Amino acid sequence: MLIDRTHKPWATASAAILLIAVAAYVPYVAGSAPVGGGTLPGLVYGTIGFAFMAFVTLLALRKKFPIWRIGRTTTWMRGHLWLGALSFPLILLHAAFFWGHGLTSVMMWLFAIVYVSGFFGAWLQHAIPRRLMRDVPMETIYDEIGHVREQLLDEADGIVAAACGKLEVQISVPDAAVSSGASALATVMRTGSGDADDGAPLRDFYLKEMRPFVQAPSVSHPLASAMTAAAMFGKLRPLVPAALEQAIVDLENICEEERQLLRQRRMHGVLHAWLIVHVPLSFAMMLLAVVHIVMALRY
Amino acid sequence: MSEMIAINIDGRDVSVPKGTTIFDAARMNGIAIPTLCHQQNQTPVGVCRVCVVDVGARVYAASCIRECEPGMKVKTDTPAVVKARTTLVEMLMSDHPTPCARQENSGDCELETMAKAAGVAAPRFARRLSPRGRDDSSLSIAVDHEACILCDRCIRGCDEVKKNNVIGRSGRGYTAHIGFDLDLPMGSSTCVSCGECMVSCPTGALTNKRVVDAALDGEKLDPEWILQLPVFKGVSGTFLELNRSSVVKREIAPGEVICREGEFGSTAFYILEGTVEVYITSPIAHVQQQDTPGGWFSRIRSTLSPRRTHTRAEESGRKYIPIDGPVDLPYDKPLAELTAGDLFGEMTCMSFNPRSATVRAKTRVVVLEMLRNVLDILQKNKTFRADLDRKYRQRALETHIRSVPEFAAMPAEFIAYLRDRVELIRYSPGEVIVRQGDAADAFYLVRMGFVKVSERHPGGDIVLTYLGRGSYFGEMGLLGGGIRTATCTALDHVDVVKIAAEDFGLMLSRFPSIREGLERVARERKEMNRRRVAQTEHVPIGEFLNQGLMEAQSLLLLDLEKCTRCDQCVKACADAHDGVTRLVREGLRFDKYLVATSCRSCRDPLCMVGCPVGSIRRRNSMEIIIEDWCVGCGLCVRNCPYGNLNLHPFATEVADPANPSRMIAGTKKKATGCDLCMEQAEPSCVYACPHAAAHRVEPLTFFGGMLGIEKRSPQGSTAETSK
C-alpha cells in the first residue's frame, strides 16, 4: 500500500500512542519496582500489543471474505500497517526490552523477522508497482502470461512462415490429444506466400535464435537484453530483402513483449515473494503468542 | 355496334372503330409502333413521344393518344419519323445509366434494347448535373431514380391497376421524379409492395430486390396456391413469382422444435394449422458457478454479505417477458401458445435479431416460413395487417399494457375501453416518431423494435436511452408542459401502440395510482437526463476521446502506482456475483490508471440494441443491468465496443439432440456485465481493494483537472460514482 497524505490521521494517532507508551514507560522503568511482562504496566503493554497483533493478523481473514461489509479493506490495511508498526515497540516495552529464553526468545525472533519483512514488503509495495507501470507497458494478467506467450509464439511462427514461404516447427500438443507414451510435441509445416530462398536467413535466425527464446524465455538468452537483441536484428537486416523489413519489425516487437513479460514475471515474484516469509511466520508467531499468554497466566 | 372509320397506315387502307388510337389501329393491323410509356392495360398518356407518327400535320403526333380520324394518312416509319424517334431515344439515354439494373440482371431494359436497335451508341448530349439518387428503403423493391425515364407506367400501375394511389410525380423540370405519398422514401410510404410498379417499369428504375441464399427447407409453393390463402389476398402474383423461393410450407410433427431462443435467423413463421408452444428454456436465475460451496462457511458468508440474490426491487412488479411474437410470456411461468393465424419471428426476420424464445409444435403444425421480402409484403398488405392488429387488440393488448409495471393494476374495463381506441402504428428504420419541441399529443407503448431517445443540444444530439418492447415514452411531454422533451426515432422496424392524449388524461384522472407511478418515472427520467447532459457539456480531448472514455458514465480505474496486482478486486467481484467475475484486470491505460474491462455504463448503450427479450436495460440510476431472463444469444456481447460484457456458461438441463423431448444435463450461456453492485453502497471491487487503488468514477469529473477542463460535476455527485 502506498503511504501517502491520506495516511496522516493514522500516522498522527500512531505517533501519539507511541509517545504515550514511552512517556508512561519512563517513570515505570525509573521506579524501584521490578519491571517485566508480569507487572501491571507490563501486562497493559502486552495486552495492547497483543490486541494490535491480533488485529493485524485478522487482515488475512478479512481478505478471504472480500465482500463482507465489515469495513473497507483499505481501512483494514491501514490498520495493519500502523498498528503492526506499533505492536513491536509495545511488546518490547511489555518485555522491558528483554529478549527472553526458550519459547519467548523464539517468539521474539519470529516477531522481529515478521516485523522487518513487513517493512520490507511495504517498501516493495511502494517501489514495484511504479516500476511495473513504467517498465512493463504491455503488462498482462499474471496468470495469463503463459497463454499470451503461446499466442506470441504462434504469431511469430505465422510471420516467419508468411515471409519465408514455409516453416517446419514443433508445437506442443494438448494433453488430451496425447496418448500414453506418445510425444507431447508434434511437427507441423506452416506455409506462406514468401520466397523460400530470400527468407532463408530470416528462417535460420528465427529457428536458431528467436524461437527458443519465445518458446522458453530466460534472462540468460541474448534476446533477453534489448541492446543485444537490437544488435542481432541489426546483423540480420542486411541479409534479407527490404520486403521483409515489416516481418523483422514485427518479430522485434514480439521479442520486446517477451522481455516485458519476463520482467513482469520477475517483478511480480519480488512483489509477492516476501509474503512467503511474512504470512506463515506471522501465524506461527501468533500461535506462540497465545501459548505464551496461556502459560504466563496459568503458571 | 360502334361506328367504323377508314384510315390509311403506311399505304394500307384499314377500318377501325371510332375512338381507336393510331397506335392500337396499327397494332390491330400488324404494324408495330415502338413505345416506352404505353402499356395496353393502362390509360395512354403520351409522355415519352417515342411512338410519334407522321399524320400529315405540322408536327408529329403521339400515336398512343391520337385518335384515328376518317381519311387520315399515317406514316409510321419514314426516315424523318425514325430519325425523330431515334433522337428521342438518344435524349432519354443521355440520362440513363448504362447498363441499368434491369439490363444487367435480365438484359430486357426496354429503353436500352430500343437504343441498341436504333443504333444509338454513345449519346451526344450531356448527362444531367443534378443526380436524382437511389432509394433503398423498401425491403422488396429497389428504386433507382437515375434510371427512371418518367414514363409514368408505375404511376398508372399503382393507381389504375392496383388502386393503391401511392406513386405520383414530384418536382419539376430537372428535379422531376416519381414520389411515394408525400415524396417519402418508398419504405416509409404506404406502399404495400404489391410489385405492380416494378412489373410496369420499362427500365431498371424499379427492380425486385433479390434475396441472397434464399434456399429454405420446405415445400416450394406455387404462387397460384399462395394467392388462394386469405392472408395473401391483394398480393401481386408477379411478385410472388419473382420471389417464389422466399416462402415455403413446412409440416412439423408434434414435439419438434421450430426455432430456438438465442439462435440467429432470417425467417418468420405464419401458422396455417395447429398449435405451437412458445417458451424460454433458460432458467430465470443469476449466473453462478457450479462449484459454489454450500456448507456453513457459505452460510456465514451469506449472512455477512447482505446481497439479495435472484431478485431486484423493481423486478417484483414485472409480470411479463417481452418476446418476438404476438404474446408476452408470464414472468413466473414463461410459456404461451400460438395457433392458426398467428405470426411469430417478425423481429428476427426484419432486423436479424436473435430468436427470443423456443417454439415447439404442440400438435401437427403447418407453417409458412418466409424471408423478409415476403414478410414485408404481408405486413403491408392491408387485409393481413388488419387481421394481425385485430388479433393483437383481442389477445395481446391487455398483457402488453399490464407488462408495464406502472399499468399492472389497470382495471380490465378500462383496457377494454382502450382496446378499440388505441392506434397501432408502424415506423420504418430512421423514422422520427416524436420530435423534441413538438406538441405532445399521445402516449406510446413500444410493441416491437427499438426506439432511440435523444435530446437536441448545441453540438449535436445526446442519446438518452434505447427503448424496446414493453417500454413506453411520451409521458413526460403529456405530464409536463405539453411539449415533447426529446426526439424518439425508430431504430429498426418499430410497432407502437399510440394512446391519444385525451385517453391518457382520462386514465390519469381515473387512476391516481397510475398517475403517481408515471410521475415518479418521469421525475426519475428527467433527473437521469439532466445528469447525463451535465456530464456531456465538457469537451475533452486526445486520447481520452480515442479510448472512448468520453462515452463512459462510470469507469473502473485501477491506480497502477498503488495496485499490487493482488486481484482482490476480481475475487470480490466473483464473490459478489455467485462466483462469476464481471471484471477483467486488463485494458487500456490512461495516465497512471488502468481502465479495467468492466461495464462503463456508456452514454450511448449500444449493447441494449436488439436484445430479443429486452433483458438488458438501463436503470434510471444509469447502470446497465442484464435481467435473469437473458436467453444467452450474445448480441449484447457482440455489440459492446469495449468487450465489457461476457457470455458465461452455467449448468442446466438442455434438450437431448438425439431425442428433443428428453432433457439432459448440459450447459447454457447467459450474458454478464458489471451491475455496479447496485444493492451495496459501494461496488465490491472498490470496497475490497486493500490498497485504495480501485476507483469507480465519473470520468469527466475525475479527469477534469488533468484534461484542463473545468470541473462541473453534476449536483450532488462526486468524482467517485455515487448511487
Side-chain angles (χ1 to χ4, degrees), chain A residues 48-70:
Chain A
I48 297 172
F50 179 76
F52 285 179
M53 288 162 61
F55 177 80
V56 164
T57 311
L58 283 174
L59 176 69
L61 200 61
R62 173 74 188 86
K63 286 164 83 172
K64 288 282 175 204
F65 304 99
I67 58 169
W68 282 7
R69 299 281 153 164
I70 49 174

Side-chain angles (χ1 to χ4, degrees), chain B residues 144-207:
Chain B
D144 182 0
H145 289 292
E146 297 295 318
C148 176
I149 57 170
L150 296 174
C151 67
D152 285 359
R153 273 163 58 166
C154 56
I155 296 173
R156 284 168 285 154
C158 185
D159 296 355
E160 294 175 6
V161 180
K162 289 294 180 183
K163 314 271 188 225
N164 285 323
N165 301 309
V166 175
I167 312 180
R169 280 268 193 125
S170 191
R172 287 181 171 186
Y174 278 119
T175 64
H177 60 277
I178 56 166
F180 305 92
D181 288 341
L182 296 174
D183 207 11
L184 295 173
M186 189 182 206
S188 305
S189 71
T190 54
C191 166
V192 296
S193 299
C194 68
E196 187 63 35
C197 56
M198 192 172 68
V199 176
S200 301
C201 181
T203 68
L206 292 157
T207 48

